[in-house]
Structure formats: structure tokens, C-alpha cells
Amino acid sequence: MTPAELWQASVPVTRDRAVCSWLEGRGIPPAMVARLDLARALPLELEAPAWARRGWLRWAPNGYRVLVPLFDHRGELRSLSAILAREPKPTEPLVVAPKGLERMGLSAANGRGLRWLTGSDATGAPCAVVRGELAYLARAAAEGKGGAVFGLVHGASWARAIAKTIPDGSALTLETGNDAEGIRARAAFTGTLAYRLEAGAVILRGVA
């Protein structure tokens, strides 16, 4: 089973009470997540592939049930992030990656962002770039169907690829943080877009 096939086998978050409750507790509206298909719930009864594990522990029985799809620069679903749908214990990470599968160079993307990646939409729009899966879900749910939202999971390596897809007429907000990785991601964006920013083709609205 591939990541894309596991995504297809998963269900809307509104069909899972535990996942809904967890999202609501984080201030993320489950109905909007489901409507925009930003994440899905991994069914407990599903026989997941061997890579859907943290160490030797299977994702679903151990609480990792919120799946966020990750896309490459062509808009193809290549991997997933699994988020723990409960409060983590001291030794538990909140987000885990598929065992043995590479996520470098991949990003979460909402509907408009995905259309930019695939080349099916070249209309300028507000664009937010955030770090991490939770920040992505919160921002994309708040954005609705308006602008593009990208969620970086490996900072600068993907920033250049995203920057090249941003159409002229877009207003960009970078929310990548002020640690070393966040600074590198911002530098990659602004460096790639330098000429277009200077020409006013793309507007840098804010940095955080």
C-alpha cells in the first residue's frame, strides 16, 4: 500500500468522534478540515502497511490517527504525516513520519496551493507559508477556499520549489519562525523571488 492508497482508505475527520474532539481542542474546526480535505482520520480497524509505524508501534492503535498529505513540486501525493490525536506522553512525539519513507522536499498544500503546484491555476492570490503540520491545519482551515497555504516540514529544501510556483499578483506571508531552519526557509523564498519582489510582481506582506 502506498501513501496515496492509505490516504484514499482513510475517512473524513468528521466521521471520527475522537479525532473531531482532538481538533476542536486545538481550536481547529473539524467541519472545515473535512470540507477542504486538509486531513483525514486513519480508521482503527484498517490494516495499515508496515511503514505506518512509530518504531514497532502501529499508528492507529497508538493514537496517530490524523493524516496530513504531503506533496512534491508537481503536486503528487508522496508521503504522509501522522499526528497524535490525544495529549502526548513525555516520550511521545506529536507528529511522526512513515517508517523508512523520505519526506525531504515535500510539503502540505491546501486546494489553491495544490492547483499552483500542478499548474492548473495561475491566478495570483494571498499565500501563507507556515512551519509544521499543526500550524498548517490551523491556517488552512482559517483561510478556507481563498488563498494558498503551504506547510513546510523540511524548511528551506522545499522553499525554492514552492516559490517558483507562486503566480504574479500574489501577496506572500512567511510564518516560518526565527530558528535557524526558519531563517533558511525565508532566505530561500526571498532569494528565489528577489527579482519579482523588486518588480512588484509578488508582494511580501509579512514575516513571522
Side-chain angles (χ1 to χ4, degrees):
M1 183 181 286
T2 66
E5 289 169 337
L6 183 60
W7 173 254
Q8 290 299 325
S10 297
V11 300
V13 295
T14 47
R15 288 175 52 186
D16 191 290
R17 184 174 299 178
V19 169
C20 276
S21 178
W22 180 83
L23 287 168
E24 289 168 348
R26 294 277 177 168
I28 301 171
M32 188 60 73
V33 172
R35 178 185 174 192
L36 301 175
D37 208 17
L38 303 174
R40 293 183 185 177
L42 179 59
L44 283 168
E45 68 276 8
L46 183 66
E47 186 65 34
W51 50 260
R53 299 172 183 266
R54 181 177 74 88
W56 296 106
L57 302 175
R58 291 188 296 151
W59 281 353
N62 289 280
Y64 291 94
R65 302 193 50 232
V66 182
L67 300 185
V68 177
L70 302 178
F71 303 94
D72 66 14
H73 66 283
R74 295 177 298 271
E76 297 183 12
L77 197 160
R78 295 295 189 186
S79 190
L80 300 163
S81 289
I83 307 174
L84 188 62
R86 57 173 171 76
E87 286 302 310
K89 299 174 183 177
T91 58
E92 289 180 320
L94 182 60
V95 182
V96 294
K99 187 177 181 181
L101 297 185
E102 181 59 71
R103 296 196 307 167
M104 185 69 73
L106 305 179
S107 172
N110 73 342
R112 185 180 290 272
L114 189 56
R115 292 195 300 274
W116 285 358
L117 295 179
T118 61
S120 63
D121 184 355
T123 305
C127 175
V129 180
V130 302
R131 281 265 305 284
E133 292 85 350
L134 280 181
Y136 162 75
L137 289 179
R139 185 58 186 264
E143 184 65 38
K145 292 187 176 181
V149 182
F150 293 100
L152 299 180
V153 295
H154 279 293
S157 69
W158 216 76
R160 284 177 287 274
I162 293 176
K164 292 176 181 177
T165 73
I166 297 173
D168 288 350
S170 297
L172 179 63
T173 302
L174 299 178
E175 301 172 5
T176 58
N178 293 311
D179 60 3
E181 186 177 358
I183 291 169
R184 286 195 299 272
R186 284 204 300 273
F189 265 95
T190 55
T192 303
L193 291 170
Y195 176 77
R196 295 167 68 199
L197 289 169
E198 291 172 8
V202 175
I203 298 170
L204 184 57
R205 178 184 288 172
V207 174

